[in-house]
């Protein structure tokens, strides 16, 4: 049966997460992944694509990473100006620093072994699927690694910050059948929310259309060009001590952030929603009755906070030193601007709206800008402090080389995980038993060696015959598996300014979030469908008179 727990091969073993102060934390690790070129990427340079799709690192860092050779297209090393074409297979190696999630466990409410499905209660802060910086902290991977369910089908999704009930088939046939039920709207869903203010006692129906206007930030607004959406709200109680209301919410459609945006539009956003209930983003009106949607093409370059303003910003490729330093290992401080240099969308501010299906208004652009700035501030402006790598060598996972170039297009495997192969100083002596970077942290492996750490150089070969040498260790697969429980990640390094950064990928580090900031007061409480009626316990924050730290 698909839902049974099977033995895991040593190469599939993962370094376990640890728990600290209500958070579950994963050591950073190298991870190779593969994707096929998306339609919106075609005909664009890879640096422009990477810098507009992702915002975790600075513009200069993305150029540096590409020039280090960590990305290949169809098996050949990609450079920053490589153009992406239709049918391209893009492979990338990243050093993942997964954000912490809540230490509250995923609860299995019901496991129907005969009909082959699960009913679970997902804590807030855990994304359903791997996306962005999340992989092993996603629900799918947690069910796989902590519960042993090798194949699950997530037919209904909850936002990362939303907690509550999910129905998860364990075979494809049931998944198709239940997907059809959700698509037809025959599944009855009921959520619980705590919103700002005194919500009306009578039933309120909101049918405003919703539109996703920024893919990076996941921002949705009420817009006449949006998709139809309908939510019915009923007040359960009003708590005068906190000036908040507990609601029953019944969505009849399944749009992204539907309940959150509809409540914001009604003037009663979810009280602790970090996006739709934040004055720093929306102003004192908090988006009540929607925003202006009159298109405006004017954009402005992003600006650093006052304490980080410099003529040498890592967010501008036209004025920064060349990555990698000079031949003496120092930094090349000549800030020459090449003649005819082309500024990328992220440098001019035109990346805002690139993912929107409609032209954005000035108000929408301002909201997205403030949302981005707030996220940067919450992460201690790490993008603007992202300069340590300038004095370092090329970025590359240690002890690994890429698999051979791809076969002809009609014989390629589409999508899936990339593969890196271990490489020793002498290929003839290599046993091929190295540790997969997708399964063990390279920093942890090196630390586990202690006094036995090898100092023989290991070469990393690119397909263009470029070779990087690094004095690193290599464990056999069996050695690594036997040491999993004792692996320790090295302490972060510090630059001369006191900034903590990762010693492998040079990511500026910032403090962990507080556990109470990792969820919102929105909970999937009850589902009724062909399999039956299922519900969870009422969340603590829905209790009468409940108070919390604000």
């Amino acid at each position: 049966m698909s839902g049974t727990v099977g033995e895991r091969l040593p190469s599939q073993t993962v370094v376990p997460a640890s728990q600290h102060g209500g958070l579950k934390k994963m050591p950073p690790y190298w991870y190779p992944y593969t994707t096929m070129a998306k339609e919106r990427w075609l005909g664009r340079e890879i640096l422009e694509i990477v810098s507009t799709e992702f915002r975790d690192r600075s513009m200069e860092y993305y150029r540096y990473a590409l020039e280090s050779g960590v990305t290949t297209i169809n098996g050949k090393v990609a450079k920053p100006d490589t153009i992406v074409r239709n049918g391209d297979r893009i492979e990338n190696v990243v050093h993942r620093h997964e954000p912490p999630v809540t230490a509250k466990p995923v609860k299995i409410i019901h496991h129907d072994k005969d009909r082959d499905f699960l009913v679970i209660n997902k804590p807030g802060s855990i994304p359903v699927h791997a996306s962005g910086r999340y992989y092993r902290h996603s629900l799918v991977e947690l069910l796989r690694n902590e519960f042993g369910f090798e194949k699950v089908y997530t037919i209904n999704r909850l936002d990362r910050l939303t907690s509550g009930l999910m129905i998860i088939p364990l075979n494809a046939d049931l998944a198709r059948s239940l997907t059809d039920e959700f698509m037809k709207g025959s599944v009855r869903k009921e959520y619980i929310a705590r919103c700002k203010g005194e919500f009306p006692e009578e039933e309120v129906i909101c049918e405003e259309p919703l539109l996703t206007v920024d893919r990076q930030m996941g921002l949705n607004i009420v817009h006449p060009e949006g998709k139809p959406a309908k939510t019915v709200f009923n007040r359960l109680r009003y708590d005068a001590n906190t000036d908040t209301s507990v609601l029953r919410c019944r969505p009849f459609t399944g749009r992204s952030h539907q309940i959150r945006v509809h409540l914001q539009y009604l003037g009663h956003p979810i009280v602790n929603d970090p996006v739709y209930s934040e004055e720093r983003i929306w102003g004192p009106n908090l988006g009540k009755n929607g925003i202006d949607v009159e298109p405006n093409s004017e954009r402005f370059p992003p600006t650093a906070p006052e304490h980080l303003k410099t003529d040498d910003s890592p967010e501008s490729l036209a004025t920064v030193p060349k990555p990698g330093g000079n031949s003496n290992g120092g930094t090349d401080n000549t800030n020459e601007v090449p003649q005819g240099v082309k500024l990328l969308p992220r440098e001019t501010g035109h990346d805002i709206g690139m993912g929107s299906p409609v032209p954005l208004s000035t108000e929408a652009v301002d909201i997205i800008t403030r949302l981005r700035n707030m996220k940067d501030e919450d992460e201690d402006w790490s993008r603007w402090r992202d300069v340590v790598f300038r004095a370092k060598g090329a970025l590359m996972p240690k002890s690994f080389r890429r698999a051979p170039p791809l076969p002809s297009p009609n014989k390629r495997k589409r999508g899936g995980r990339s593969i890196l192969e271990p490489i020793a100083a002498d290929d003839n002596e290599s046993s091929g038993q190295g540790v997969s970077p997708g399964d063990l942290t390279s920093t942890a492996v090196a630390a586990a060696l202690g006094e036995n750490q090898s100092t023989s150089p290991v070469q990393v070969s690119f397909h263009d015959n470029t070779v990087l040498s690094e004095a690193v260790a290599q464990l056999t697969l069996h050695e690594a598996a036997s040491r999993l429980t004792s692996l320790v990640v090295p302490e972060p390094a510090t630059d001369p300014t006191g900034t903590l950064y990762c010693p492998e990928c040079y990511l500026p580090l910032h403090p962990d979030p507080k556990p109470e900031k990792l969820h919102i007061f929105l909970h999937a409480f009850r589902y009724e469908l062909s399999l039956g009626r299922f519900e969870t316990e009422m969340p603590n924050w829905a209790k009468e008179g409940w108070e919390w730290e604000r």
Side-chain angles (χ1 to χ4, degrees):
M1 183 175 291
S2 59
T4 57
V5 178
E7 288 190 16
R8 193 178 298 278
L9 297 174
S11 63
Q12 296 174 307
T13 307
V14 298
V15 177
S18 58
Q19 296 188 12
H20 304 278
L23 297 174
K24 178 183 288 187
K25 302 174 67 174
M26 175 69 64
Y29 56 94
W30 287 103
Y31 182 79
Y33 69 92
T34 301
T35 185
M36 303 303 294
K38 303 182 188 302
E39 184 176 356
R40 64 179 181 272
W41 299 350
L42 305 185
R44 297 167 60 192
E45 294 180 359
I46 186 70
L47 176 57
E48 178 187 325
I49 295 170
V50 171
S51 61
T52 53
E53 294 280 331
F54 307 102
R55 295 185 68 257
D56 296 331
R57 302 297 297 267
S58 65
M59 288 286 297
E60 187 188 357
Y61 173 83
Y62 288 128
R63 181 175 67 177
Y64 155 77
L66 285 166
E67 291 181 342
S68 293
V70 297
T71 301
T72 63
I73 297 180
N74 303 327
K76 296 181 179 179
V77 172
K79 294 302 179 185
D81 59 354
T82 301
I83 302 295
V84 173
R85 309 292 184 189
N86 190 24
D88 280 350
R89 177 183 172 99
I90 303 170
E91 297 179 307
N92 191 42
V93 185
V94 296
H95 197 234
R96 281 190 182 270
H97 286 253
E98 294 204 33
V101 296
T102 180
K104 292 181 180 178
V106 174
K107 293 183 180 179
I108 295 182
I109 299 173
H110 178 66
H111 181 188
D112 192 315
K113 296 183 179 180
D114 294 327
R115 293 184 289 176
D116 214 17
F117 71 91
L118 299 174
V119 181
I120 69 157
N121 187 354
K122 181 188 84 71
S125 84
I126 297 175
V128 173
H129 296 102
S131 62
R133 289 180 290 175
Y134 295 91
Y135 176 65
R136 291 182 183 148
H137 277 164
S138 67
L139 177 67
V140 170
E141 287 300 307
L142 290 174
L143 289 174
R144 177 176 181 261
N145 295 319
E146 296 186 6
F147 294 90
F149 294 102
E150 293 294 331
K151 190 67 175 177
V152 297
Y153 298 82
T154 51
I155 54 171
N156 72 301
R157 303 183 184 184
L158 296 180
D159 296 340
R160 177 175 61 87
L161 299 176
T162 303
S163 60
L165 188 141
M166 291 184 65
I167 311 293
I168 301 182
L170 298 174
N171 67 70
D173 290 338
L174 181 59
R176 281 189 288 268
S177 174
L178 294 182
T179 298
D180 190 52
E181 287 188 47
F182 277 93
M183 294 293 290
K184 290 179 177 178
S186 58
V187 178
R188 296 182 181 178
K189 298 172 285 186
E190 186 175 324
Y191 289 67
I192 303 297
R194 183 178 284 272
C195 70
K196 284 189 173 183
E198 186 173 0
F199 198 84
E201 290 187 87
E202 66 273 11
E203 182 173 273
V204 176
I205 301 175
C206 187
E207 297 184 90
E208 297 297 328
L210 302 178
L211 186 70
T212 301
V213 293
D214 190 88
R215 185 183 297 107
Q216 282 185 343
M217 307 306 298
L219 185 70
N220 297 267
I221 62 172
V222 168
H223 195 287
E225 300 285 332
K227 296 180 179 179
K230 178 182 178 180
T231 315
V232 177
F233 299 98
N234 297 93
R235 193 178 92 182
L236 299 180
R237 73 176 62 87
Y238 170 67
D239 287 338
N241 60 318
T242 57
D243 188 28
T244 61
S245 302
V246 177
L247 311 177
R248 179 178 67 169
C249 318
R250 288 176 291 153
F252 286 81
T253 49
R255 308 303 176 204
S256 180
H257 295 184
Q258 177 173 320
I259 295 174
R260 298 166 66 182
V261 179
H262 274 174
L263 282 174
Q264 180 197 42
Y265 182 86
L266 294 171
H268 297 278
I270 292 172
V271 66
N272 67 336
D273 193 319
V275 176
Y276 300 104
S277 186
E278 176 56 67
E279 285 194 20
R280 288 182 293 169
I281 300 171
W282 303 89
N285 194 47
L286 288 177
K288 182 178 180 180
N289 297 323
I291 65 171
D292 174 55
V293 295
E294 184 68 28
N296 189 323
S297 60
E298 190 175 29
R299 299 290 187 272
F300 298 97
T303 57
E306 286 296 328
H307 67 288
L308 291 175
K309 282 187 176 179
T310 173
D311 293 333
D312 196 19
S313 170
E315 275 294 280
S316 174
L317 298 184
T319 59
V320 295
K322 297 177 182 179
N326 58 32
S327 58
N328 297 321
T331 300
D332 182 358
N333 291 315
T334 58
N335 298 329
E336 297 181 4
V337 179
Q339 197 168 16
V341 65
K342 180 183 71 173
L343 295 178
L344 297 180
R346 183 161 135 185
E347 296 176 277
T348 64
H350 284 83
D351 60 323
I352 295 179
M354 288 186 70
S356 174
V358 299
L360 297 183
S361 66
T362 298
E363 186 175 5
V365 171
D366 289 344
I367 287 169
I368 293 170
T369 300
R370 290 193 293 266
L371 176 58
R372 291 183 175 187
N373 288 341
M374 191 185 76
K375 181 178 182 292
D376 285 346
E377 183 179 0
D378 289 344
E379 297 188 349
D380 200 20
W381 304 100
S382 61
R383 282 194 305 122
W384 301 93
R385 296 185 291 109
D386 196 3
V387 295
V388 172
F389 60 85
R390 291 179 180 173
K392 305 296 180 180
L395 178 72
M396 192 63 188
K398 302 172 179 64
S399 306
F400 298 96
R401 69 178 176 190
R402 297 186 179 277
L406 295 176
S408 58
N410 62 329
K411 295 182 180 180
R412 292 180 193 171
K413 176 183 177 183
R414 298 184 64 84
R417 178 169 162 178
S418 177
I419 299 174
L420 274 78
E421 298 174 344
I423 179 171
D426 185 347
D427 273 345
N428 296 327
E429 296 178 6
S430 174
S431 64
Q433 296 273 318
V435 186
S436 166
D439 298 314
L440 296 174
T441 64
S442 51
T443 49
V445 169
L449 287 172
E451 67 278 8
N452 296 323
Q453 187 165 349
S454 169
T455 57
S456 59
V458 177
Q459 293 181 331
V460 180
S461 301
F462 297 120
H463 295 305
D464 60 1
N465 296 322
T466 303
V467 177
L468 302 176
S469 294
E470 185 74 36
V472 295
Q474 181 175 331
L475 293 175
T476 68
L477 181 143
H478 298 293
E479 287 173 335
S482 66
R483 300 186 189 188
L484 273 176
T485 57
S486 63
L487 294 180
V488 178
V489 177
E491 289 297 317
T494 307
D495 74 356
T497 67
T499 298
L500 291 175
Y501 67 91
C502 171
E504 290 224 22
C505 69
Y506 321 123
L507 173 73
L509 305 178
H510 48 83
D512 291 331
K514 295 181 179 180
E516 58 269 22
K517 299 292 186 180
L518 295 179
H519 69 97
I520 58 175
F521 298 153
L522 179 63
H523 180 84
F525 175 61
R526 180 182 294 129
Y527 279 12
E528 188 172 343
L529 66 171
S530 62
L531 296 175
R533 176 172 167 166
F534 306 95
E535 65 181 51
T536 70
E537 298 175 343
M538 191 70 76
N540 286 335
W541 49 258
K543 294 178 180 178
E544 186 173 0
W546 191 80
E547 297 187 3
W548 68 100
E549 180 183 347
R550 306 200 190 195

